[in-house]
Amino acid sequence: MIGALVLSSILLIFVNQILFAVEALECKVIDFIYNLFEIFAGIQYMQYDGEPTLFVDVFFKNPVITTVYTGMALIGFAMSFGFAIVAVVRKLFDSTGEKVKATYGMIITNLFKSTILIFLMTTIVSATILASSTLMRSIDSLFDNAEELTDPSTITFSDEDRAVMMRVVSKIGNYTLNESSNNRYNINSCFNDIRADLQTLENERVFNYTYEGAENTWQYALLQIYLASDIDKSVPLDQYNQQLTEAIMDCGYQIQYEGTFAPLDSYTRLNTTDKSSGSLGRTIMLAGSMTSAINSKYNKDGHLTDALRRPFYVGDKNCYDWDEMTNVFNITLFGWDHLVILVVGWFVMWELAKIMFNAIARVFNIILLYITAPGFLAVMPLDDGGKFKQWTLAFIIQSCSLLGSFIAVRLMVMFIPIVMARNFVVVPDSTFGNYVAKLLVLCGIVFTCGKASGMISGILADQAGYQSIMAGDVGSGLAEKGRSFAGSALKAGAKAGFAVGAGAINLAADQTKYGRKANEKFENFQQSIKDKGGFTKAARSGFSTNQQDQQQKEEESKKQNDIKSRNQDDFQNKILEKLDSLGGGGGDKAKMPPK
């Protein structure tokens, strides 16, 4: 029995580690796709010839593209003058002035406009690309620091704060002077004694900072004790907490042997990591920890930038490392939200991949519009800039096409931990129902990301109403996928059904064909048994059916021959009677020779 329990425990740990490894791989793939998206969208720089360069600039500033545009510009100049001449000729032959409303001055003005715009198009496109990239980088930076902007980046400690910290440090020093300082009773008694002072420091927001780069300070040492256990609950004296023991013993060691161990007067957060690189994958990974912290305090109102999760969120600690995560989180089969990470991560990966390919297509479309711009500008003297207005609208839409998708992805990063927090309750009467509701909310958010770009583009293209409806119509997309799946299943089922049905029909036809004959034989057999001939006649009737058929055919043939002969005799007799009547009846009747 004990061996079975040990084996099952080992198996559960193995399964948890396998699931954790799969989730870590999935989130790393999401990080990779998201980094590619940022590069293709112009948010992050890539390396080209050893220099940091925007992805679109690699093609836009390529000498071949420059040469092609120069040739197109020369063609555009020639076409512009040609269309100007055509417009003047049309104006000359328009006696009524109704067909060509543009004056000669407008035609000449449009000619100069088209010439100047063709000449300056490279500068205009370059400035637009730079402005679009700068805008998205600014939005990216805003979202990166949105969590921290809710709290001041700098905290200044008051005299009261330092007095409370002094009292806590003094108590820890007194407890560590005990010869049995590492005893669990001594450690737990120390924690229970300083718990009220730690609550006071928590209310003063002292523990809202992680104190990176200030490890040899009172604030950092007290933060480790604060993270080790729930300060809202007393620790039983006979309970062993390894993390709490290590935190208190380390603080006591620094009190006794570290001469530089002192409090800070103020602290400013250090942005030592690039949070925009891979923050989406880390966010999804940490979404599974919102109710799994060993310190139950961080399960009540957990968020990504709390003192427990922030080191993992910004990358100071590795959230994909099993050992580091199990130090602070309870990663079990039901204690960790494996389903959220796997399901939501898969949908995020799929939608993000589509957005990434849209970013690549955007670069191609921008270069295409740039190269073909002289052709649309050349028509300006003829149509008063109508085609160029459409080109301008298309170029602006392509330049801003990723803005909606990018903002939607960053909003999704913020929404995931909010939805997975314990205080987010949709169905209060059912834990399972509330969990399913959270999954539905997350899936709806993910599906909407792919349509956000169309809504922004629709505003620019004067189709805001339609695109807004499409962006909010997630259900039709799901229904369409469902119909597609159902249609495929029905086609496959129909084919299989038709095949089976055709086989059944053929089989039934064969069975009917042979069954009819067998039935006739059986009926003949039954009828013959009823006759007086007995079993011998029945046997003869049942097993000599072919002979009887042949006899019946011969008898019918004889009957038909007799009928024919009688008819012939009757016909001959009628002819003789007619001849006799014509001859007056005086002589002997002629007789037919005998047959």
Side-chain angles (χ1 to χ4, degrees):
M1 184 66 180
I2 297 176
L5 291 175
V6 172
L7 182 61
S8 61
S9 300
I10 295 175
L11 183 61
L12 285 176
I13 294 174
F14 178 74
V15 171
N16 283 326
Q17 289 182 342
I18 292 296
L19 289 174
F20 184 84
V22 172
E23 293 160 2
L25 177 62
E26 181 184 60
C27 292
K28 287 179 180 179
V29 173
I30 293 174
D31 288 345
F32 177 73
I33 297 176
Y34 185 71
N35 289 337
L36 290 180
F37 164 72
E38 288 190 326
I39 292 173
F40 296 150
I43 301 169
Q44 300 293 331
Y45 288 96
M46 60 170 290
Q47 293 291 324
Y48 186 72
D49 286 339
E51 298 292 333
T53 309
L54 292 176
F55 177 73
V56 64
D57 285 342
V58 173
F59 303 96
F60 179 69
K61 297 181 179 179
N62 189 282
V64 176
I65 300 296
T66 303
T67 303
V68 171
Y69 180 78
T70 302
M72 292 293 294
L74 295 176
I75 295 173
F77 287 140
M79 292 176 60
S80 182
F81 280 99
F83 283 125
I85 294 172
V86 171
V88 171
V89 172
R90 289 182 61 194
K91 184 67 176 177
L92 287 173
F93 286 94
D94 184 19
S95 59
T96 60
E98 295 180 355
K99 295 182 179 180
V100 181
K101 296 182 179 180
T103 62
Y104 293 107
M106 294 174 61
I107 295 173
I108 300 301
T109 301
N110 289 330
L111 174 62
F112 281 107
K113 283 183 180 179
S114 64
T115 304
I116 293 172
L117 287 174
I118 291 173
F119 182 75
L120 296 176
M121 184 55 62
T122 301
T123 305
I124 295 172
V125 173
S126 178
T128 304
I129 293 173
L130 181 62
S132 175
S133 300
T134 303
L135 175 62
M136 284 196 287
R137 279 199 298 273
S138 301
I139 295 174
D140 183 62
S141 177
L142 174 63
F143 277 97
D144 281 343
N145 298 282
E147 290 280 354
E148 295 185 359
L149 290 175
T150 56
D151 288 329
S153 59
T154 301
I155 181 173
T156 302
F157 303 101
S158 63
D159 293 337
E160 291 78 8
D161 295 337
R162 286 194 293 271
V164 175
M165 286 187 282
M166 173 66 76
R167 188 162 57 248
V168 173
V169 170
S170 299
K171 291 180 181 179
I172 293 174
N174 293 331
Y175 275 96
T176 54
L177 290 176
N178 191 341
E179 293 181 357
S180 59
S181 59
N182 60 348
N183 184 280
R184 71 180 66 179
Y185 295 97
N186 188 71
I187 294 295
N188 294 341
S189 297
C190 177
F191 177 79
N192 293 334
D193 197 8
I194 65 175
R195 193 167 57 84
D197 292 328
L198 293 178
Q199 289 175 337
T200 301
L201 295 175
E202 179 190 34
N203 295 332
E204 296 297 326
R205 311 178 73 85
V206 173
F207 299 129
N208 287 9
Y209 301 81
T210 56
Y211 303 103
E212 297 113 332
E215 287 77 11
N216 193 27
T217 60
W218 291 5
Q219 285 85 347
Y220 181 83
L222 297 183
L223 174 64
Q224 303 312 308
I225 300 174
Y226 172 80
L227 295 175
S229 184
D230 188 355
I231 63 173
D232 295 331
K233 299 178 182 179
S234 297
V235 178
L237 297 180
D238 59 345
Q239 177 180 322
Y240 178 72
N241 186 330
Q242 181 179 356
Q243 189 177 1
L244 179 61
T245 301
E246 292 177 355
I248 292 180
M249 292 301 296
D250 182 69
C251 182
Y253 177 83
Q254 293 189 74
I255 292 171
Q256 295 181 32
Y257 301 104
E258 295 290 342
T260 58
F261 187 62
L264 293 172
D265 294 330
S266 63
Y267 175 77
T268 302
R269 287 192 179 99
L270 300 177
N271 291 326
T272 57
T273 56
D274 183 11
K275 295 188 295 297
S276 63
S277 177
S279 62
L280 181 56
R282 291 197 293 267
T283 299
I284 295 174
M285 194 69 178
L286 292 174
S289 71
M290 290 302 164
T291 59
S292 305
I294 295 176
N295 187 347
S296 59
K297 179 177 180 60
Y298 291 97
N299 295 332
K300 300 174 183 177
D301 188 18
H303 52 90
L304 292 179
T305 55
D306 59 29
L308 183 68
R309 295 178 177 86
R310 187 178 185 277
F312 296 99
Y313 174 65
V314 300
D316 291 338
K317 292 184 179 180
N318 187 5
C319 65
Y320 305 134
D321 184 79
W322 172 266
D323 294 330
E324 287 194 38
M325 291 291 284
T326 51
N327 286 334
V328 292
F329 296 113
N330 183 26
I331 304 179
T332 60
L333 193 59
F334 299 102
W336 182 265
D337 283 330
H338 294 289
L339 185 62
V340 170
I341 300 175
L342 292 174
V343 174
V344 177
W346 169 256
F347 285 125
V348 169
M349 189 189 308
W350 177 255
E351 293 296 330
L352 199 60
K354 293 193 294 185
I355 296 173
M356 180 193 67
F357 284 110
N358 289 339
I360 299 174
R362 165 183 173 267
V363 173
F364 178 82
N365 291 334
I366 287 176
I367 301 300
L368 177 64
L369 289 171
Y370 165 65
I371 292 177
T372 56
F376 296 99
L377 286 168
V379 193
M380 188 177 289
L382 194 61
D383 67 348
D384 197 21
K387 297 298 181 184
F388 181 66
K389 290 178 182 178
Q390 297 179 7
W391 180 94
T392 303
L393 180 61
F395 183 77
I396 292 174
I397 290 174
Q398 288 299 322
S399 300
C400 303
S401 60
L402 291 180
L403 187 61
S405 298
F406 174 65
I407 295 177
V409 169
R410 296 314 304 262
L411 282 175
M412 179 180 62
V413 173
M414 297 178 64
F415 282 4
I416 289 175
I418 295 174
V419 174
M420 292 311 301
R422 176 168 289 184
N423 54 2
F424 187 90
V425 180
V426 181
V427 184
D429 298 332
S430 173
T431 303
F432 177 76
N434 189 57
Y435 190 81
V436 173
K438 288 184 177 183
L439 281 178
L440 294 176
V441 171
L442 291 177
C443 291
I445 293 172
V446 173
F447 283 127
T448 307
C449 287
K451 298 185 177 183
S453 178
M455 184 168 60
I456 301 299
S457 301
I459 296 174
L460 298 174
D462 295 332
Q463 296 178 351
Y466 173 75
Q467 292 294 341
S468 180
I469 293 172
M470 294 301 295
D473 190 13
V474 180
S476 65
L478 294 175
E480 183 63 28
K481 293 181 180 179
R483 285 194 297 269
S484 177
F485 177 77
S488 301
L490 286 175
K491 288 180 180 178
K495 289 181 179 179
F498 284 136
V500 174
I505 291 171
N506 293 332
L507 180 61
D510 294 338
Q511 293 296 328
T512 303
K513 177 180 179 182
Y514 294 109
R516 185 181 298 112
K517 292 183 177 180
N519 189 32
E520 291 177 356
K521 293 180 181 180
F522 183 72
E523 289 178 353
N524 293 332
F525 180 74
Q526 285 182 328
Q527 184 64 33
S528 61
I529 290 177
K530 295 179 181 180
D531 294 340
K532 296 180 179 181
F535 180 79
T536 303
K537 187 175 181 180
R540 185 170 57 251
S541 176
F543 300 103
S544 303
T545 306
N546 293 332
Q547 295 179 358
Q548 291 181 357
D549 293 340
Q550 186 67 26
Q551 292 176 359
Q552 289 178 358
K553 289 180 180 179
E554 291 177 356
E555 291 176 356
E556 289 179 358
S557 178
K558 290 180 181 180
K559 290 179 180 180
Q560 290 178 359
N561 291 333
D562 293 338
I563 294 172
K564 287 181 180 179
S565 62
R566 285 196 298 269
N567 291 334
Q568 289 177 358
D569 293 342
D570 292 338
F571 179 73
Q572 291 175 356
N573 292 330
K574 289 180 179 180
I575 292 175
L576 290 174
E577 290 177 356
K578 187 68 175 176
L579 291 174
D580 291 338
S581 62
L582 292 173
D588 296 333
K589 293 182 180 180
K591 295 183 180 179
M592 295 294 294
K595 294 182 180 180

